[in-house]
């Protein structure tokens, strides 16, 4: 996708990933202006606010009042965000068993082995 100037337009998910990546670089809670600066000023301040608000609704970031504005913090790392998305998709399905069965049968052998190890480990922790 390109805009009229010929530059490549980024998708919403790509922008969210960029904003999260920048937030993870911060030493603590960061303002939207700080995020905008770190993104190179390429995005309008209002766009950064919109992205942060969407991430807040998804549970990917938290915010705290800082003067008249907010300071933003990532709620989890990339793996945590991906796991949250997977869980949300699964929770939205009527036939969880079918979805999980399809997911497991679509895994590469190495991923299937890893999933089995993780499930065994989680089972062991619950039994303790």
């Amino acid at each position: 996708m390109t805009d009229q100037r010929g530059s490549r337009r980024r998708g919403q998910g790509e922008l969210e990933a960029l904003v999260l990546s920048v937030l993870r670089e911060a030493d603590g809670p960061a303002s939207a202006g700080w995020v905008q600066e770190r993104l190179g000023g390429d995005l309008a301040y209002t766009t950064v606010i919109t992205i942060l608000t969407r991430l807040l609704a998804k549970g990917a970031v938290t915010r705290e009042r800082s003067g008249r504005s907010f300071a933003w913090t990532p709620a989890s790392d990339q793996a945590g965000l991906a796991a949250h998305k997977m869980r949300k998709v699964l929770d939205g399905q009527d036939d969880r068993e079918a979805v999980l069965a399809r997911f497991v049968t679509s895994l590469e052998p190495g991923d299937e082995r890893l999933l089995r190890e993780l499930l065994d480990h989680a089972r062991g922790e619950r039994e303790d």
Side-chain angles (χ1 to χ4, degrees):
M1 233 188 235
T2 59
D3 65 14
Q4 293 156 337
R5 294 179 304 263
S7 64
R8 184 177 166 282
R9 290 185 63 192
R10 293 174 285 225
Q12 177 182 328
E14 188 177 348
L15 288 174
E16 289 176 355
L18 280 171
V19 168
L20 277 172
S21 175
V22 166
L23 274 178
R24 283 191 197 94
E25 295 171 5
D27 291 333
S31 69
W34 185 90
V35 172
Q36 181 191 26
E37 282 178 25
R38 295 310 179 281
L39 290 170
D42 189 29
L43 296 175
Y45 179 81
T46 54
T47 301
V48 173
I49 290 291
T50 298
I51 294 166
L52 287 166
T53 303
R54 287 181 180 158
L55 289 168
L56 179 67
K58 293 177 180 182
V61 298
T62 60
R63 70 180 182 188
E64 58 189 55
R65 192 54 90 172
S66 177
R68 292 178 46 200
S69 188
F70 292 101
W72 305 82
T73 307
S76 66
D77 58 11
Q78 283 290 89
L81 183 57
H84 176 75
K85 288 178 184 178
M86 292 167 65
R87 179 60 187 255
K88 196 169 180 180
V89 168
L90 182 60
D91 287 347
Q93 301 301 309
D94 292 330
D95 191 349
R96 295 171 72 89
E97 184 177 346
V99 173
L100 287 170
R102 286 274 174 104
F103 176 73
V104 170
T105 59
S106 70
L107 293 173
E108 297 290 325
D111 290 336
E112 183 180 343
R113 194 170 28 261
L114 177 59
L115 181 58
R116 287 182 192 282
E117 290 171 9
L118 291 169
L119 288 169
D120 288 343
H121 180 74
R123 187 177 304 119
E125 285 182 354
R126 279 189 292 234
E127 291 173 359
D128 290 344

